């Protein structure tokens, strides 16, 4: 199928969005639906270090993770859940390993469905092994192995396929280190979008041959890098307003997977997912307060606001006081999803949505940006220039700047001098950039290839 650009919003008003409901629900194995009126809990656990030393030990580890998650689901009465497995290098590099690990987990989940009726979907998130300076992003050995592994996972029973692609990463990293918002826009907004179209056109075609959904992507390598470098309220390595601008740009980039045919539920660590859902109406996974096992953030409640699948973040497979980590963290996400589902059943969903949102909306610029009314505004800015991957990314950043400045001037959001100066400086630069993609790309190509040795323009058809 071709690429379908979005030029209008899926929802008429931001208030139309609520957790557990998506305009276009997705059906996966065992009749689990995402966005069909309830929230599904998710758990993902990384294998214990050392188990990747052989195919046999890794397969046993994967089966053990699935077994412990499914057993806890039965034990506490969860009707359904998603098990996500983010691949270690070996799982994607060796397609037969990817097949065997997926099959082992699918068989465990089927056993629990047959014995107890618990419905579980299995997500396989392939690793993006590609390296620009070592063979490039297109047609390299690493690139080909990713495609083979996606196909093997589909054959073995994956319910859906997700990814965290790395396109534009070299330029983005330069932009973060040098405080260069133009490089951030070029890396995430333009190069990232070009690579997404290449990657997801192929992934959608492979999944279409099987009973496997092409779920979606996340800008973990870009906007999440900015979020982590910005850190908490003590962090000064990168301003939080700059991280928020990068997040808005990333929404225009992550949208490309859906434009290529991805159906959702979108990958959980895509904090930009609220914006993408507002544009497309596809269901989303999201992480937040139950990602404390992996990182700190300043909007752990807010990210619950319009979620369809509630996730933790990767935690090593090990024992905790409450049991093995697959069991412990599924229990945590399961109880949060149960609260949301009870709110839906009792007619209190929008009240709980707004409590989640207002808890974090003005604690940090990133929360202000991603609060669903403001995420909707950024989505509208994107679709206004929907057919131009550069202009829509630039428009997203400029709308994000307006959102933050309005909240600051209304004395709802506090900004330090560092945060405010950065926002004003970056906004001025963004406003000065050309309104023609060709001119912008030409400017970037005169500047960044000579400054960034790891940047390979051929990987983007440039």
């Amino acid at each position: 199928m071709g690429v379908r650009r979005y030029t209008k919003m899926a929802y008429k008003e931001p208030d139309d969005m609520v957790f557990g409901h998506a305009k276009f629900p997705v059906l996966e194995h065992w009749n689990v639906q995402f966005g069909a009126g309830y929230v599904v809990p998710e758990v993902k656990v990384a294998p214990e270090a050392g188990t990747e030393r052989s195919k046999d030990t890794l397969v046993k580890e994967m089966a053990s993770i699935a077994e412990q998650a499914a057993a806890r689901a039965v034990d506490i009465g969860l009707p359904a859940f998603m098990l996500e497995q983010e691949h270690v290098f070996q799982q994607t590099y060796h397609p037969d390993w990817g097949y065997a690990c997926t099959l082992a987990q699918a068989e465990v989940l089927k056993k629990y469905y047959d014995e107890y009726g618990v419905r579980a979907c299995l997500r396989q998130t392939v690793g993006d092994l590609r390296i620009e300076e070592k063979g490039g992003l297109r047609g390299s050995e690493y690139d080909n192995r990713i495609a083979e592994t996606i196909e093997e996972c589909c054959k073995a029973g994956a319910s859906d396929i997700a990814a965290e692609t790395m396109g534009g990463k070299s330029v983005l990293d330069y932009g973060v280190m040098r405080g260069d918002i133009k490089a951030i826009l070029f890396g995430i907004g333009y190069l990232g979008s070009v690579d997404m179209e290449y990657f997801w056109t192929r992934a959608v075609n492979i999944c279409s041959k099987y009973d496997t959904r092409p779920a979606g992507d996340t800008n973990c390598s870009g906007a999440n890098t900015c979020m982590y470098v910005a850190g908490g309220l003590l962090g000064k390595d990168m301003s939080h307003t700059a991280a928020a601008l990068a997040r808005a740009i990333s929404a225009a980039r992550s949208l490309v997977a859906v434009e290529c045919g991805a159906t959702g539920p979108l990958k959980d660590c895509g904090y930009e997912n609220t914006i993408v859902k507002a544009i497309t109406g596809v269901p989303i996974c999201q992480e937040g307060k139950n990602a404390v096992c992996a990182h700190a953030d300043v909007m752990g409640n807010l990210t619950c606001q319009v979620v369809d699948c509630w996730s933790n973040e990767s935690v090593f497979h090990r024992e905790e006081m409450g049991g093995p980590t697959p069991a412990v963290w599924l229990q945590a996400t399961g109880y949060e999803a149960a609260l949301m589902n009870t709110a839906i059943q009792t007619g209190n969903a929008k009240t709980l949505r707004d409590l989640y949102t207002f808890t974090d909306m003005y604690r940090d610029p990133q929360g202000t940006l991603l609060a669903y009314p403001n995420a909707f505004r950024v989505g509208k800015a994107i679709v206004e220039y929907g057919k131009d991957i550069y202009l829509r990314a630039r428009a997203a950043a400029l709308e994000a700047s307006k959102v933050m400045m309005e909240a600051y001037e209304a004395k709802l959001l506090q900004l330090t001098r560092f945060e405010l100066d950065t926002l004003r400086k970056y906004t001025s630069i963004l406003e000065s950039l050309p309104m023609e993609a060709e001119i912008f790309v030409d400017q970037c190509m005169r500047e960044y290839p000579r400054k960034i040795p790891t940047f390979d323009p051929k990987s983007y058809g440039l």
Side-chain angles (χ1 to χ4, degrees):
M1 65 179 292
V3 177
R4 172 203 173 194
R5 299 295 185 203
Y6 282 85
T7 56
K8 60 181 181 181
M9 304 289 282
Y11 295 91
K12 291 183 178 178
E13 302 291 338
D15 189 53
D16 295 338
M17 296 195 297
V18 69
F19 50 75
H21 295 78
K23 198 90 171 180
F24 303 105
V26 172
L27 175 66
E28 295 195 357
H29 292 155
W30 316 121
N31 199 33
V32 177
Q33 296 186 73
F34 296 88
Y38 57 92
V39 177
V40 179
E42 174 186 334
V43 68
K44 60 179 178 181
V45 175
E48 183 179 5
T51 56
E52 77 284 0
R53 64 183 177 275
S54 75
K55 180 179 173 181
D56 286 345
T57 55
L58 192 60
V59 169
K60 289 178 182 174
E61 178 75 350
M62 293 300 154
S64 174
I65 289 171
E67 183 87 30
Q68 292 162 351
R72 183 61 63 95
V74 174
D75 209 26
I76 64 171
L78 294 180
F81 71 96
M82 172 182 276
L83 173 65
E84 177 183 1
Q85 200 62 59
E86 292 184 338
H87 284 196
V88 294
F89 175 86
Q90 292 82 353
Q91 252 171 304
T92 299
Y93 184 72
H94 301 293
D96 61 317
W97 291 36
Y99 175 87
C101 290
T102 303
L103 181 64
Q105 293 189 319
E107 289 178 342
V108 169
L109 298 181
K110 181 179 185 305
K111 181 185 76 172
Y112 274 82
Y113 174 76
D114 290 341
E115 292 184 12
Y116 302 101
V118 63
R119 298 173 294 133
C121 294
L122 178 59
R123 165 166 292 179
Q124 294 292 305
T125 298
V126 295
D128 190 355
L129 313 177
R130 302 172 300 162
I131 302 173
E132 281 187 50
E133 65 272 30
K134 294 184 179 179
L137 301 183
R138 302 182 180 186
S140 66
E141 179 197 3
Y142 286 150
D143 184 41
N144 293 334
R145 285 183 181 251
I146 292 170
E148 291 173 30
T149 296
I150 289 174
E151 183 125 22
E152 292 303 305
C153 291
C154 293
K155 287 179 187 173
S159 304
D160 71 38
I161 297 292
E164 298 178 346
T165 55
M166 304 279 281
K169 175 72 170 166
S170 58
V171 177
L172 174 276
D173 286 346
Y174 173 89
V176 172
M177 289 187 290
R178 301 301 178 94
D180 184 342
I181 187 62
K182 188 172 76 172
I184 293 173
L185 177 63
F186 186 48
I188 297 177
Y190 188 82
L191 300 177
S193 296
V194 170
D195 182 59
M196 284 277 286
E197 186 171 329
Y198 167 76
F199 187 99
W200 278 99
T201 296
R202 182 178 63 181
V204 168
N205 286 337
I206 296 171
C207 291
S208 67
K209 296 186 286 183
Y210 303 90
D211 186 17
T212 304
R213 307 290 172 264
D217 210 297
T218 162
N219 194 217
C220 196
S221 67
N224 284 9
T225 295
C226 296
M227 180 175 72
Y228 298 147
V229 173
L233 301 182
L234 293 174
K236 296 184 178 62
D237 291 332
M238 183 177 186
S239 76
H240 291 209
T241 49
L245 294 176
R247 181 65 64 192
I249 293 169
S250 77
R253 169 261 184 211
S254 294
L255 171 64
V256 175
V258 184
E259 291 177 324
C260 292
T263 62
L266 302 182
K267 179 89 173 71
D268 63 336
C269 57
Y271 283 70
E272 64 274 15
N273 284 350
T274 299
I275 303 171
V276 181
K277 180 174 181 175
I279 296 171
T280 65
V282 303
I284 62 173
C285 298
Q286 195 75 69
E287 66 181 38
K289 65 172 72 174
N290 296 125
V292 293
C293 50
H295 61 79
D297 68 51
V298 287
M299 46 192 169
N301 281 296
L302 181 139
T303 50
C304 296
Q305 56 189 351
V306 298
V307 74
D308 302 292
C309 178
W310 182 242
S311 175
N312 68 324
E313 179 54 283
S314 279
V315 59
F316 277 119
H317 191 202
R318 64 182 180 224
E319 283 292 322
E320 295 188 357
M321 293 289 284
T325 46
V328 168
W329 289 98
L330 179 58
Q331 181 168 324
T333 59
Y335 278 124
E336 195 66 40
L339 172 63
M340 295 186 225
N341 290 333
T342 302
I344 292 171
Q345 292 160 3
T346 58
N348 291 298
K350 289 190 175 180
T351 299
L352 181 58
R353 175 199 64 187
D354 290 346
L355 289 172
Y356 281 139
T357 303
F358 295 144
T359 299
D360 297 329
M361 187 171 178
Y362 297 115
R363 296 179 63 234
D364 185 88
Q366 297 165 94
T368 303
L369 166 71
L370 293 175
Y372 70 90
N374 295 331
F376 189 88
R377 284 179 54 180
V378 174
K380 287 185 69 174
I382 290 173
V383 299
E384 184 177 352
Y385 298 95
K387 293 186 177 180
D388 188 312
I389 59 172
Y390 157 63
L391 285 180
R392 69 189 195 181
R394 175 180 177 272
L398 288 173
E399 187 65 25
S401 174
K402 285 182 188 174
V403 165
M404 288 185 277
M405 284 304 299
E406 288 172 9
Y408 169 73
E409 290 168 356
K411 302 187 184 307
L412 295 169
L413 174 67
Q414 293 184 330
L415 295 177
T416 64
R417 176 56 59 187
F418 169 57
E419 295 287 350
L420 191 57
D421 286 351
T422 303
L423 180 58
R424 285 172 170 161
K425 176 185 174 184
Y426 282 8
T427 301
S428 177
I429 293 171
L430 289 165
E431 287 173 338
S432 72
L433 294 176
M435 288 299 290
E436 297 81 16
E438 295 79 8
I439 297 176
F440 173 72
V441 173
D442 183 63
Q443 289 178 356
C444 292
M445 289 300 293
R446 291 173 185 270
E447 181 175 0
Y448 296 119
R450 62 185 172 82
K451 291 182 175 178
I452 309 171
T454 54
F455 171 37
D456 172 31
K458 293 193 296 297
S459 288
Y460 307 94
L462 297 174

